[in-house]
């Protein structure tokens, strides 16, 4: 199991941690805001975003990623 990282990685750090831990791009990535853009852009495979962040939604439409309507209000 992976050790807990402190501080918690954000933005480009998420993709770097996946690469260091797994050694390749993930087959599936889920994002909820623009801070997840680097992770979602790393590699190929199924990419899903939760609606609510207009910048991320625009990028998802451009890249052909799935957009899941957020259930939170």
């Amino acid at each position: 199991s992976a050790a807990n990282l402190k501080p918690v990685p954000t933005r480009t750090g998420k993709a770097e941690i996946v690469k260091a831990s797994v050694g390749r791009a993930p087959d599936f990535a889920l994002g909820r805001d623009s801070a997840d853009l680097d992770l979602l852009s790393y590699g190929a495979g199924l990419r899903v975003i939760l609606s609510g962040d207009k910048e991320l939604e625009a990028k998802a439409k451009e890249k052909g990623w799935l957009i899941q309507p957020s259930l939170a209000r």
Side-chain angles (χ1 to χ4, degrees):
S1 70
N4 291 333
L5 299 173
K6 297 197 179 169
V8 175
T10 61
R11 300 205 179 268
T12 58
K14 293 178 181 183
E16 291 169 6
I17 291 301
V18 168
K19 187 174 182 179
S21 299
V22 180
R24 63 178 178 79
D27 294 325
F28 171 78
L30 175 71
R32 66 182 177 104
D33 59 40
S34 57
D36 296 322
L37 186 56
D38 288 320
L39 177 61
L40 291 161
S41 298
Y42 175 50
L46 181 59
R47 301 298 186 256
V48 179
I49 69 142
L50 300 177
S51 65
D53 182 305
K54 297 303 177 195
E55 178 185 348
L56 187 58
E57 286 183 38
K59 186 56 95 171
K61 289 175 185 172
E62 176 185 313
K63 297 269 193 180
W65 299 337
L66 299 175
I67 302 172
Q68 171 64 42
S70 179
L71 300 175
R73 293 181 192 235

